[in-house]
């Protein structure tokens, strides 16, 4: 996903993408993505709202029999009454569990706190008396040394903390209620809540959310006719709004289509395809998330022939140049800075290859272009050349890439021209086509 925003790769399979009419709308929208953005977002929002109303109508009119509807009503009323009778509180469950834990361990809590209270305050050798005596002893000598005065202050603070701790324990002990009836009431209440949790949701919040949902469903059933009329009216109004949004979107697309037709024909002329005719054909279809336009690219590459779908008329070479023209146009509106062409030379040779090479060079003045090719006419237009080789070692295949010097570039272009039968004239020819390409 990240690389898709940085690099645009074109391989032979992308010609197949252009053959498929289902992709043509996407290509058109990509061409005018900034111009179409506002109307597209407005339409998508309206379409979502339209579908939501349809969903509500479908849910309301679920085609159940009268007996099934009555059974559902009875069940909903029972569930609503059961939840209402429980009088749930969001914080209650955790509080009840905490109180139950305390009551079930009341004897242990009382014993531990009582013993602690004796140690701190009420026992024969309690901490308060011991620290109090220590504080008095320090007080009798603190006037002689500042350091002893600080120690006395610390002792007094400790005594105060112990006294506060003792009071807190005493208050807690006085407030303890280990009435078995209270524990029974809490257990019964927890049983009621857990029974609801088992049926309607793991938490009190989920149970209450379910309660709201079934109340709404019961209201739908009891007021179905009235709600249906209301929703049908909303749907009709939203359908009118959707139609306007779709027409606005379609209008922008038709303007873009005209612009695309003009621009593409100009590009094809530069690729020696001046007799080409290109048209974006529009048909209306059912509303979907992209509008109600069904478009198809129609083309004629030969003088005197009517336009037809791409897959019926395009040869491999024509398709390669057609796609290059397309990419050239899109590169002007796309923010992607790097274009990779893998074997754009499929089906072309001679002067057509030379023209394609010149076009790639022209695009390369605005974007970073990488091209994998076997044609010298195209390769000669590159500013930098790399040789890709496959080698085997230890029963494994490795791919190596090497940047070529000027002399090595000449050798490689010569090899593309003549294979392994390289002569001095081949070298001269390779040198000449590189120099001519670089002059352009």
């Amino acid at each position: 996903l990240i690389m898709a925003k940085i690099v645009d790769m074109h391989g032979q399979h992308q010609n197949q993408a252009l053959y498929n009419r289902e992709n043509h709308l996407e290509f058109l929208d990509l061409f005018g993505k900034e111009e179409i953005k506002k109307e597209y977002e407005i339409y998508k929002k309206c379409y979502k709202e339209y579908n939501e109303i349809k969903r509500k109508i479908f849910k309301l009119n679920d085609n159940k029999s009268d007996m099934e509807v009555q059974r559902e009503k009875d069940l909903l009323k029972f569930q609503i009454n059961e939840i209402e009778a429980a009088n749930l509180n969001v914080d209650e469950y955790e509080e009840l569990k905490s109180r139950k834990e305390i009551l079930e361990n009341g004897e242990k809590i009382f014993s531990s706190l009582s013993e602690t209270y004796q140690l701190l305050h009420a026992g024969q050798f309690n901490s308060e008396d011991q620290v109090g005596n220590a504080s008095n002893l320090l007080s009798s000598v603190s006037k002689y040394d500042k350091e002893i005065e600080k120690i006395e202050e610390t002792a007094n603070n400790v005594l105060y903390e112990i006294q506060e701790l003792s009071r807190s324990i005493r208050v807690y002990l006085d407030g303890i209620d280990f009435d078995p009836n209270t524990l029974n009431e809490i257990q019964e209440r927890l049983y009621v809540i857990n029974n609801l949790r088992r049926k309607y949701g793991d938490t009190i919040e989920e149970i209450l959310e379910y309660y709201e949902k079934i109340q709404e469903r019961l209201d739908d059933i009891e007021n179905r006719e009235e709600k249906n009329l209301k929703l049908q009216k909303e749907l009709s109004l939203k359908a009118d709004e959707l139609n306007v949004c779709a027409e606005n979107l379609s209008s922008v697309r038709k303007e873009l289509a005209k612009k695309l037709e003009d621009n593409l024909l100009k590009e094809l002329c530069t690729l020696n395809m001046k007799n080409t005719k290109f048209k974006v054909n529009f048909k209306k279809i059912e509303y979907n998330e992209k509008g109600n336009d069904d478009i198809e690219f129609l083309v004629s590459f030969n003088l005197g022939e009517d336009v037809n779908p791409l897959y019926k008329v395009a040869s491999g070479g024509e398709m390669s140049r057609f796609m290059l023209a397309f990419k050239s146009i899109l590169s002007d509106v796309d923010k992607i800075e790097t274009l990779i062409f893998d074997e754009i030379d499929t089906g072309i040779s001679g002067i057509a290859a030379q023209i394609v090479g010149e076009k790639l060079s022209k695009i390369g003045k605005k974007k970073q272009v990488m091209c994998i090719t076997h044609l010298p006419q195209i390769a000669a237009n590159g500013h930098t050349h790399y040789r890709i080789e496959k080698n085997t070692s230890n029963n494994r295949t490795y791919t190596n890439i090497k940047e070529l010097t000027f002399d090595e570039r000449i050798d490689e272009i010569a090899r593309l021209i003549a294979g392994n039968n390289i002569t001095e004239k081949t070298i001269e020819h390779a040198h000449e086509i590189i120099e001519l390409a670089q002059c352009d």
Side-chain angles (χ1 to χ4, degrees), residues 290-307:
K290 295 182 179 179
N292 66 337
D293 292 318
D294 177 33
I295 75 165
E296 183 174 18
F297 295 156
L298 303 178
V299 67
S300 168
F301 291 112
N302 298 308
L303 190 63
E305 292 183 357
D306 292 332
V307 290

Side-chain angles (χ1 to χ4, degrees), residues 190-390:
L190 284 172
Y191 174 81
V192 170
I193 295 175
N194 284 326
N195 186 44
L196 294 177
R197 289 176 64 234
R198 180 175 57 83
K199 294 179 180 179
Y200 307 124
D202 288 336
T203 65
I204 302 295
E205 290 90 341
E206 289 181 8
I207 295 171
L208 294 175
E209 285 174 7
Y210 180 76
Y211 172 74
E212 295 291 333
K213 182 180 177 182
I214 59 178
Q215 271 195 321
E216 182 181 343
R217 176 59 181 162
L218 181 61
D219 185 60
D220 284 345
I221 293 174
E222 293 179 335
N223 300 283
R224 176 176 296 188
E225 187 173 339
E226 179 184 345
K227 287 196 170 191
N228 203 28
L229 288 172
K230 181 181 177 183
L231 286 171
Q232 290 293 347
K233 184 177 180 180
E234 288 181 14
L235 185 66
S236 177
L237 292 172
K238 187 57 67 174
D240 291 340
E241 182 183 345
L242 185 63
N243 184 60
V244 172
C245 292
E247 285 301 316
N248 290 340
L249 180 60
S250 184
S251 178
V252 175
R253 280 183 174 142
K254 285 174 181 176
E255 292 177 8
L256 288 172
K258 181 64 174 124
K259 182 179 176 183
L260 177 62
E261 290 168 355
D262 294 341
N263 290 5
L264 187 58
L265 289 174
K266 290 176 183 176
E267 286 294 324
L268 290 170
C269 281
T270 67
L271 290 168
N272 200 28
M273 300 177 75
K274 61 183 178 180
N275 292 324
T276 301
K277 290 185 286 186
F278 175 71
K279 180 175 177 56
V280 181
N281 190 49
F282 280 78
K283 282 173 49 179
K284 289 298 179 186
I285 57 174
E286 291 293 323
Y287 295 118
N288 59 69
E289 62 182 12
K290 295 182 179 179
N292 66 337
D293 292 318
D294 177 33
I295 75 165
E296 183 174 18
F297 295 156
L298 303 178
V299 67
S300 168
F301 291 112
N302 298 308
L303 190 63
E305 292 183 357
D306 292 332
V307 290
N308 282 292
L310 274 168
Y311 70 91
K312 288 187 177 182
V313 297
S315 66
E318 289 168 336
M319 201 61 211
S320 292
R321 284 183 283 170
F322 187 85
M323 177 58 89
L324 179 57
F326 228 98
K327 290 285 184 179
S328 179
I329 292 171
L330 293 180
S331 71
D332 291 332
V333 296
D334 206 327
K335 294 181 179 179
I336 293 177
E337 292 297 326
T338 300
L339 303 176
I340 299 177
F341 293 93
D342 183 8
E343 299 192 20
I344 192 67
D345 50 27
T346 300
I348 62 175
S349 60
I351 190 169
Q354 182 180 340
I355 293 170
V356 168
E358 291 170 356
K359 174 58 68 176
L360 290 169
S361 179
K362 183 178 178 182
I363 298 174
K365 293 177 181 177
K366 297 180 289 184
K367 306 276 186 176
Q368 172 66 59
V369 174
M370 299 182 185
C371 181
I372 301 170
T373 182
H374 298 287
L375 293 183
Q377 297 96 323
I378 293 178
N381 284 274
H383 298 104
T384 305
H385 290 81
Y386 297 86
R387 181 176 59 227
I388 304 174
E389 289 182 322
K390 284 187 177 180

Side-chain angles (χ1 to χ4, degrees), residues 397-413:
T397 300
Y398 297 91
T399 300
N400 299 311
I401 300 176
K402 181 180 185 299
E403 183 176 355
L404 303 180
T405 64
F406 183 76
D407 289 339
E408 288 171 331
R409 288 165 64 184
I410 293 174
D411 290 340
E412 278 301 308
I413 295 295

